[in-house]
Amino acid sequence: MAFATNGFNLIGFGAESTLMGGADIAVARDTSALNTNPAGLTQIHGQAFDGFASGLRTFDLTHEDSLGNNKHADNKYTFLGGGGYAASFDSLPCTAGVGLFSQGGAGGIFKNINTPFGNRDEISSLFGMAKVSPGIGCRINDSWSVGTSLAVTYASVRQKFFPDTSVGAAPFAGYRLDGATSLKVGFRLGVQYRVNPSLTLAATYTEKIDLPLTDGELIANYSEMGLGRVKYRNAGVTGLALPREVALGFAFKPADSLLLSFKVNWINWADAIKSVTLRATDPENPLAPAVYQIVTAGDWSNQWVFASGLAYNWNKRTTLYLGHNYGNSPIPAQNASPLLAGILDHHITVGVAHQISREWRFTGGFEYMLPVKEQYTSPLFGNAEVRNEALFLHVMLSRRW
């Protein structure tokens, strides 16, 4: 399922962050601050828990090409989840916590499509990332708060590229990749400055995290070469990374019942995705090639993301949300792929939060990813087009005590 939005990243984390269009760093008042702006943790007094979940339905994740394919991805639904806990210290002006977040990802499954070799086969790629983020935020004085969090990031990938296809004349050997994973650590720094009760300024810095995926297994189809299917016991993917980010934002309250928030985020994809290499070694059959390798051009460009959000207190128990997120696609048209449809640019969000009781609060809403398409020329598919349109449902249950 292609749920990449700002590149590989989701536009927000937790329901309020997302339903305000990702304009979150100057708000950051729940446990999702661990993954948006840890300085915002200082707004939590006592203990806080947030559990959130999301469901994605694609409307038009479609690949069309000159081979006669015009097919929607076979996987139409994706489900994500996470949560966070934080508690303030009695003796220090600080709040610490830990959260589990679905960071993002990309991919799709296209079964039974025409190949350039005259048969029908499958292409699929499922790349996902999750992170555990412990962090702390401290109030320096009435105006300044600072915070930091770690990002213990786990990534995994599974791929099929015409696994039932083998051509001796080309030659071509389709493959299946399983079990390649990565576990790396990065960090995030954040600051909030309360100019007055109505205006807050904020900034964050996020360090790049390289994600070399290793310890996988690849099965290559050498049937037409007389070797059958050969297992490579050491397979992985290099060249993927979560990028360096710098974000600035502000939140303004023109009235007690209304909060407006804005964020501009620079994402350094040009340094994170240059080229991607699939490499497999140690074949079980000594007659097979010692190395199976495919290098794919990346050449992503840096991305500017502009987010704006609104929170309106309808009454003492109910808050309404509205947001918009725009980020230019970082993927060059010539490197587009049905397996990496991270070309979504405009996102519209709407939602509501209701205080169920003194301790419990429920938040829910929708994120609509507006239709977008990219036309490109592929060595395998000729003139091709990828289209994407989707809808997210986001929910969060929160407790404060």
Side-chain angles (χ1 to χ4, degrees), residues 5-6 9-25 27 36 259-265 305-311 320-327 345-351 365-368 394:
T5 51
N6 293 157
N9 294 331
L10 299 170
I11 68 167
F13 303 93
E16 183 173 69
S17 163
T18 303
L19 297 178
M20 294 188 73
D24 44 28
I25 66 170
V27 181
T36 58
L259 174 66
L260 304 176
S261 185
F262 302 89
K263 180 181 77 173
V264 57
N265 192 21
V305 176
F306 301 92
S308 56
L310 174 155
L320 306 179
Y321 294 108
L322 187 66
H324 174 252
N325 183 286
Y326 170 78
D345 45 23
H346 286 281
H347 306 251
I348 303 296
T349 60
V350 60
F366 295 95
E367 173 191 350
Y368 176 54
H394 300 283

Side-chain angles (χ1 to χ4, degrees), residues 14-304:
E16 183 173 69
S17 163
T18 303
L19 297 178
M20 294 188 73
D24 44 28
I25 66 170
V27 181
R29 54 191 177 184
D30 59 31
T31 60
S32 67
L34 290 157
N35 203 32
T36 58
N37 185 355
L41 289 169
T42 59
Q43 300 179 82
I44 296 175
H45 305 286
Q47 300 181 71
F49 167 78
D50 300 296
F52 38 86
S54 302
L56 173 69
R57 170 65 160 89
T58 58
F59 295 141
D60 188 20
L61 179 54
T62 300
H63 166 70
E64 184 176 356
D65 61 37
S66 58
L67 300 178
N69 293 305
N70 187 3
K71 182 173 175 56
H72 191 285
D74 289 273
N75 54 330
K76 297 181 179 179
Y77 295 92
T78 295
F79 299 96
L80 309 173
Y85 170 82
S88 60
F89 294 94
D90 293 332
S91 56
L92 294 172
C94 299
T95 299
V98 62
L100 171 64
F101 302 94
S102 298
Q103 180 67 25
I109 298 174
F110 295 86
K111 298 179 180 179
N112 196 33
I113 68 170
N114 297 321
T115 81
F117 308 106
N119 63 325
R120 301 179 72 86
D121 208 338
E122 174 182 341
I123 56 172
S124 63
S125 180
L126 296 175
F127 171 63
M129 298 171 291
K131 65 169 63 171
V132 175
S133 293
I136 188 169
C138 293
R139 187 182 293 270
I140 298 176
N141 53 40
D142 289 341
S143 298
W144 288 93
S145 292
V146 297
T148 185
S149 60
L150 294 178
V152 184
T153 304
Y154 173 83
S156 66
V157 65
R158 292 186 292 119
Q159 292 182 336
K160 292 181 182 179
F161 198 84
F162 300 149
D164 295 326
T165 302
S166 179
V167 180
F172 176 86
Y175 71 86
R176 172 175 178 164
L177 172 68
D178 290 301
T181 61
S182 181
L183 184 64
K184 296 293 181 179
V185 180
F187 68 89
R188 181 185 300 263
L189 304 174
V191 60
Q192 287 184 340
Y193 173 59
R194 283 164 287 278
V195 179
N196 55 51
S198 298
L199 178 62
T200 299
L201 308 180
T204 60
Y205 172 81
T206 306
E207 185 51 270
K208 174 185 175 183
I209 306 176
D210 288 308
L211 295 171
L213 298 144
T214 60
D215 299 323
E217 176 183 282
L218 184 141
I219 298 176
N221 190 343
Y222 289 116
S223 298
E224 287 297 312
M225 296 76 155
L227 301 176
R229 297 177 189 262
V230 177
K231 179 189 294 185
Y232 286 79
R233 290 167 288 204
N234 182 18
V237 178
T238 57
L240 296 173
L242 281 174
R244 184 177 296 106
E245 299 183 42
V246 178
L248 300 174
F250 70 91
F252 176 61
K253 295 188 68 173
D256 288 341
S257 60
L258 180 62
L259 174 66
L260 304 176
S261 185
F262 302 89
K263 180 181 77 173
V264 57
N265 192 21
W266 176 74
I267 307 179
N268 190 198
W269 288 114
D271 182 56
I273 312 293
K274 299 176 181 177
S275 66
V276 179
T277 301
L278 167 68
R279 180 180 173 87
T281 59
D282 192 18
E284 287 188 340
N285 188 333
L287 299 178
V291 177
Y292 186 105
Q293 181 168 295
I294 298 174
V295 180
T296 304
D299 301 321
W300 286 28
S301 58
N302 294 328
Q303 185 179 41
W304 288 94

